């Protein structure tokens, strides 16, 4: 007899980590494209970041952080595309101030959010470097402690001569 109730399987280990890694990759591209004034391309990469994160666990603060960054990037990119497109339709001879204002708005949004996103992404790299440095320092301290114990044991045995001669 089969059960009519569908069972929910847990995702495999590292499932959410892989989604965050993909999203961060797309967000690196998004921040670079925003800073280089490529709003249409940044719109597509931020959409890819949103898509990469959409199936993850929502209650995870890490997933929520990167999903929020992806959605905000998408919104800023969409705004930049809209302002850029509107400024292209404005006649420069008749409404130069409007054209300049629209161009300035889209560029300001790109620079501000692109810079903030780049800073957030760089901080994640700094956190990984700090964790690696801490782990290395702990490993070096443990090795130094082991060497000290061996040295002390050898010093107490007459520099290890007795063990070497009998062994």
């Amino acid at each position: 007899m089969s059960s009519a109730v569908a069972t929910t399987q847990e995702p495999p280990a590292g499932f959410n980590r892989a989604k965050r890694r993909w999203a961060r990759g797309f967000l690196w591209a998004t921040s670079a494209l925003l800073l280089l004034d490529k709003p249409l391309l940044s719109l597509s990469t931020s959409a890819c970041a949103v898509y990469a994160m959409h199936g993850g666990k929502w209650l995870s603060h890490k997933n929520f952080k990167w999903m929020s960054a992806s959605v905000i990037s998408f919104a800023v990119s969409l705004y930049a595309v809209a302002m850029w497109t509107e400024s292209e339709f404005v006649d420069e001879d008749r409404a130069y101030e409007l054209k300049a204002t629209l161009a300035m708005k889209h560029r300001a949004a790109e620079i501000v959010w692109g810079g903030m996103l780049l800073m957030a992404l760089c901080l994640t790299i700094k956190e990984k470097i700090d964790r690696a440095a801490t782990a290395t320092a702990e490993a070096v301290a443990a090795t130094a402690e082991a060497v000290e114990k061996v040295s002390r044991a050898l010093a107490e045995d007459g520099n290890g001569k007795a063990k070497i001669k009998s062994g």
Side-chain angles (χ1 to χ4, degrees):
M1 224 179 204
S2 65
S3 174
V5 177
T7 58
T8 307
Q9 289 183 321
E10 289 292 319
F15 177 76
N16 286 311
R17 185 181 321 152
K19 287 189 163 296
R20 287 191 301 270
R21 190 171 290 151
W22 274 101
R24 279 194 302 266
F26 286 122
L27 289 173
W28 275 105
T30 300
S31 65
L33 291 168
L34 283 171
L35 292 173
L36 294 173
D37 194 20
K38 305 290 184 198
L40 195 56
L41 292 174
S42 71
L43 182 66
S44 63
T45 57
S46 61
C48 290
V50 170
Y51 182 75
M53 287 300 298
H54 87 283
K57 181 179 178 184
W58 277 92
L59 298 178
S60 165
H61 73 280
K62 292 178 185 177
N63 285 2
F64 183 73
K65 175 174 68 173
W66 293 112
M67 179 57 127
S68 299
S70 299
V71 169
I72 292 169
S73 296
F74 182 78
V76 168
S77 297
L78 188 62
Y79 174 79
V81 166
M83 292 293 117
W84 175 71
T85 305
E86 290 173 9
S87 71
E88 292 298 315
F89 283 120
V90 173
D91 184 18
E92 191 171 329
D93 296 332
R94 292 184 179 174
Y96 178 76
E97 289 179 14
L98 178 61
K99 185 175 183 80
T101 302
L102 291 172
M104 184 179 63
K105 282 183 178 182
H106 104 265
R107 195 65 190 123
E110 287 177 330
I111 290 172
V112 168
W113 179 248
M116 289 173 59
L117 185 59
L118 189 62
M119 188 175 12
L121 290 164
C122 287
L123 286 175
T124 62
I125 290 176
K126 182 193 173 295
E127 289 173 5
K128 288 181 183 182
I129 291 171
D130 288 346
R131 274 189 246 127
T134 302
T136 303
E138 290 172 357
V140 167
T143 304
E145 185 178 318
V147 168
E148 183 181 342
K149 285 181 182 179
V150 169
S151 297
R152 195 175 304 136
L154 288 175
E156 290 173 1
D157 290 342
N159 290 331
K161 293 178 184 174
K163 289 186 176 181
I164 294 173
K165 289 180 184 176
S166 65

